[in-house]
């Protein structure tokens, strides 16, 4: 029967896992980062999932679908950059950084594949 919901996509599940892991580690960021890095990294990591859900409902229109996937990819890259800041500011350990940026890369590769090969996801094709 195929995938019925964006929640069933492996890329969504990985992005959700990443967002929740970031939420947990960002609880330990300094208070002065509350309205800066903490807020930003939580927002961008969650936005990957949110934009993916939005892309899923726009599968009737290839250009809209690809546009929302491109937004996902942009938010994923923003998350990756915020992880670099978190590491360099010594808010997370090198091992955490390596694990999370590896997951960002994996998510980015999956999104890139969807962007470059949208037809299997589109409706009415």
């Amino acid at each position: 029967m195929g995938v019925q919901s964006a929640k069933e996509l492996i890329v969504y599940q990985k992005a959700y896992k990443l967002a929740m892991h970031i939420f947990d580690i960002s609880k330990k960021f300094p208070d002065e980062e509350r309205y800066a890095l903490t807020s930003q990294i939580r927002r961008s990591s969650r936005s990957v999932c949110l934009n993916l859900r939005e892309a899923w409902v726009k599968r009737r229109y290839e250009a809209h679908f690809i546009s929302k996937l491109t937004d996902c990819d942009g938010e994923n890259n923003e998350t990756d950059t915020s992880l670099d800041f978190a590491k360099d500011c010594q808010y997370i350990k090198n091992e955490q950084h390596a694990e999370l940026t590896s997951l960002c890369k994996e998510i980015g590769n999956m999104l890139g594949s969807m962007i470059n090969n949208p037809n299997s996801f589109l409706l009415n094709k």
Side-chain angles (χ1 to χ4, degrees), residues 27-53:
K27 290 177 184 178
K28 296 180 178 146
F29 288 5
D31 287 343
E32 65 264 18
E33 290 286 8
R34 179 177 296 133
Y35 302 108
L37 185 60
T38 304
S39 175
Q40 192 66 20
I41 196 170
R42 287 177 179 179
R43 184 206 56 76
S44 66
S45 65
R46 290 172 178 170
S47 191
V48 176
C49 295
L50 296 169
N51 280 303
L52 192 51
R53 294 291 299 272

Side-chain angles (χ1 to χ4, degrees), residues 4 6 19-20 27 31 33 58 61 72 79 84 109 117 122:
Q4 299 298 307
M20 292 307 296
K27 290 177 184 178
D31 287 343
E33 290 286 8
K58 294 185 176 188
Y61 312 102
C72 291
T79 300
D84 291 345
N109 288 340
N117 305 291
L122 298 174

Side-chain angles (χ1 to χ4, degrees), residues 93-123:
K93 296 178 178 153
N94 289 339
E95 298 80 28
Q96 289 174 305
H97 178 266
E99 176 189 347
L100 297 174
T101 56
S102 175
L103 191 50
C104 278
K105 183 176 181 182
E106 195 175 341
I107 291 164
N109 288 340
M110 295 173 103
L111 291 170
S113 180
M114 291 175 76
I115 290 166
N116 292 328
N117 305 291
N119 288 335
S120 63
F121 299 97
L122 298 174
L123 298 175

